[in-house]
Amino acid sequence: MTLLFYSAGAIALIATLSVIISTNVVHALVYLIISLLSVAVIFFALGAPFAAMLEAIVYAGAIMVLFLFVMMMLNLGQATEDEERAWMRPSLWIGPGVLSGILLLQFVSTMLTHDVTLAPVEVSVRDISLLLFGPWLLAVELASMLLLAGLIAAYHLAKK
Amino acid sequence: MDAIPYEHGLILAAVLFVCGLLGVLTRRNIVFVLMSLEIMLNACGLAFVVASARWQHAEGQIMYLMILTLAAAEVAVGLGLIIQMYRRFHTVDISVLNEMKG
Amino acid sequence: MQEWTGLLPVFPLAGFLLLVLSRGRMSRGIAGVIGAGSVGLSFLLALGIAIATLNNGGQAYTTVLWQWMQVGDFAPGFSFYVDGLTLVMILVISGVGFLIHLYATGYMADDPGFARFFSYMNLFVAAMLVLVLADNLLLLYLGWEGVGLCSYLLIGFWYDKPANGYAARKAFVVTRVGDTSMAIGLFLLFSQLGTLNIQQMLTLAPQQWAVGSGIAVAASALLLGGAVGKSAQLPLQTWLPDAMAGPTPISALIHAATMVTAGVYLIARTHVLFELAPSVQLLVAFIGLATLLMSGFTALTQTDIKRILAYSTISQIGYMFLALGVGAWSAAVFHLMTHAFFKALLFLAAGTVILSLHHEQDIFRMGAMRRRLPVSFWCFLVGSAALTALPFTSGFYSKDEILLAALHQEHYGMLLWSGGVLGAFLTALYSFRLVFVVFFGRDRHQSHATASHGHDDPQAAVVEAMSPVMFFPLLLLGLLALGGGFIHVPVDAVFGSGAQEEAHASQLVHTLMILIPIAGVMIAWFVYGSRSYQKAGEHLREQLLASGIGRRLHRFWFSGWGMDTLYEWVFVRPFLTLAALNRRDAVDQIYGWVAQAARVGNSAVVMLQTGNLRWYAISLVGGLVIVIGLGVWR
């Protein structure tokens, strides 16, 4: 499991970095799917198979397919790729890089103070369902409302 | 079963988050910006699942579900906006959209 | 009846509110009934109160309506005090006011602002009743300012002419000078006596202040300032002639019969204070004397019928001030009452003349109106006779009392008396000049009318516009002007018996006082009236105007002794110059800097809003880093 966790983490990191420095949209999308799938493996390693399934089906499946469809509609060709390459100036990365570095430093410095190891205990679908349709029922309703609102908004916005 | 230090999970989430942030800050193509946002959201989800495993609570995964829902809705609206923007301006460069200048 | 005293100003106030809230949508008939009827109700109530009080032996009483405010020891009530003086005033205000309202329903019948006119009139009557009923000076001041406001509104009633608006502003500003003086007087009285209740003041003041002490002089002089402003006496008289810009019933009610006598009422009401300050009281007498002579001379030269009457009003109020100055309080109130009768009559009769001639006010474009307007003529004649104080008219008795009282003044009696008699002579001269020019002689209007409107029927131009609602008030006021001298003014209890000593004078003095006005009438007849002497009279007038000194005097008197010009140069011009100099106000500059700073800050902040999305995101993350940094690396 440990090996699984670290190897999947490494893949996720590399894939993500590839996304943000890639110039081709479709390539970036494929890297993103790889990143999401490796996160799903991490979930599995952490004893959350339900979350892993959702990550693979909803994120890597549905949402990314949505992206893919839009890419196809936009039909961005070679011209866009050249443009992307032109925008990739190193000077552009200095400010955001410094800020992101500081932020990462802040995160890590708060996390390195404790030393508790994880003993992954599998959380079954049943437990989550009992929680979801018990104490978190209202949150489920709100989520459904949010999805409905997103549906209507997307329909309205994408209309001619 | 080998033990994974839970900080490592959180640090991975933080690194992924910062990568997404870097993408949002540097890219000019709005499709890349939206993808980077997805990365950031996903990193948050990862942090929740790690915390869920650390405290032996299923609630972390519920939160992950909520984030998933949010991401789905956000992508739907965001992609709709991208289509609309491409129709109007025939570009995906967000620097063009500076008409709200004071 | 007495317990209903509080209702007296309520009727006109309710009428005002009804008329105002209807916003002119009410029909003229209803508006007229409300306007005149509310004042009529007040008059009936006043009559009932007067009868009840007099049956009660004229006992004064106070009606407390409610506590107005309370600040520490200062607790003025909304309460009314009724004694003989108040009775005279409320009867005159509501009675004469009712007759004038009635007349105005006819006079204003064609005016588009009919309901507005009556709403202002009703508000005026309400404020005036509050003024005379008030038992403390603060409430009196409320009414005082209320009538000032109504006067302003009504002078500028025909506001579409800029001149009327100017006249209204002038009246407001000039009377404000007096009001300010009066307000300071109130502050002084309160700080010294600790109360503004008039009756308490009048008992406290003699106990605390010696006769002629500085405080008494200052307080009474300040009150005198207010009275001078409201009653149009020297040196604040300049607003009244211009106030004639309003409709004629207004001139009759406000600027002749009631409001302008408020100053007389104020001095009579606080007479104890003036008795404590003999120097100020003497000043009152001399102000009255100077005013009555000055305005008498001015009235001689005016050509506008309403301005002549305005100057005669100023001069008659001068007589009242003269009476107040020599301590003849009841004579002053008596003259106030008779003056209200005959001056209202004169104005209303003049109003019918003006209305018949389509708003012609120049007396030299009238003439021979005697046959065309018989009712107006007889009313005007009666009014003029009373004004001139011909024997057996009301004015004769009141003016007689004043002059006799003036003669008995200790030091300056002879001077005051002879000045008053000269004034009476002038009064006779100008009032009968008016009568003879307007109602006798050639009909100048007809030729004028033919010249200007050739195709109009000249006969139709001059028809006496006389409906019953206009005729009845004229008739009643005529009777009062004739017989009002026999009404006994029940004010002996108010002023104490000492002030009211029976004046004795020699036979010669009496004869002189009867003969001098008659002589004035004769001379007016010689110069302006009689057909046989017409040539000679015209010749004499031309001679007078031709000589240098005569022409200069005429111009001087015509301009009201140059007072307007004087004020123009002393006050108005310097003020305007200062205002022009200070157009870029120094204080404004500071606020200008504030605005400038805001503008600079704005343009600086605008630069931050680039419209660039990544710039916003970077700012957001920068803020996030700072906030988290504050939390993590404290």
Side-chain angles (χ1 to χ4, degrees), chain B residues 21 25-28 94 97-98 100-102, chain C residues 606 609-614 616-618 621:
Chain B
L21 184 64
L25 293 186
T26 49
R27 303 312 296 256
R28 282 170 73 170
I94 46 170
L97 303 184
N98 59 358
M100 295 289 276
K101 195 156 77 181
Chain C
V606 157
Q609 194 180 352
T610 54
N612 192 338
L613 198 64
R614 287 183 323 164
Y616 294 162
I618 286 179
V621 173

Side-chain angles (χ1 to χ4, degrees), chain A residues 108-125:
Chain A
V108 172
S109 71
T110 50
M111 287 159 190
L112 283 178
T113 48
H114 306 286
D115 192 25
V116 181
T117 52
L118 295 176
V121 176
E122 194 172 308
V123 181
S124 67
V125 179

Side-chain angles (χ1 to χ4, degrees), chain A residues 3-130:
Chain A
L3 187 67
L4 197 62
F5 174 82
Y6 285 111
S7 55
I11 294 169
L13 199 57
I14 293 163
T16 306
L17 281 172
S18 307
V19 171
I20 61 170
I21 60 173
S22 156
T23 51
N24 188 313
V25 183
V26 181
H27 292 177
L29 205 58
V30 174
Y31 281 128
L32 184 56
I33 293 174
I34 291 170
S35 160
L36 295 174
L37 286 174
S38 50
V39 170
V41 172
I42 292 170
F43 285 174
F44 193 77
L46 289 175
F50 181 58
M53 287 303 132
L54 283 180
E55 178 87 6
I57 296 167
V58 178
Y59 241 130
I63 296 179
M64 288 305 125
V65 167
L66 206 57
F67 260 101
L68 209 58
F69 277 141
V70 173
M71 292 308 105
M72 282 158 64
M73 280 180 68
L74 295 184
N75 195 18
L76 302 168
Q78 187 63 40
T80 316
E81 209 177 321
D82 298 344
E83 217 177 32
E84 286 292 327
R85 208 160 281 135
W87 288 338
M88 281 283 183
R89 290 198 316 276
S91 64
L92 205 69
W93 289 72
I94 296 171
V98 169
L99 278 176
S100 306
I102 296 173
L103 198 61
L104 188 62
L105 218 61
Q106 288 172 342
F107 285 151
V108 172
S109 71
T110 50
M111 287 159 190
L112 283 178
T113 48
H114 306 286
D115 192 25
V116 181
T117 52
L118 295 176
V121 176
E122 194 172 308
V123 181
S124 67
V125 179
R126 186 186 141 78
D127 297 339
I128 295 173
S129 312
L130 280 177

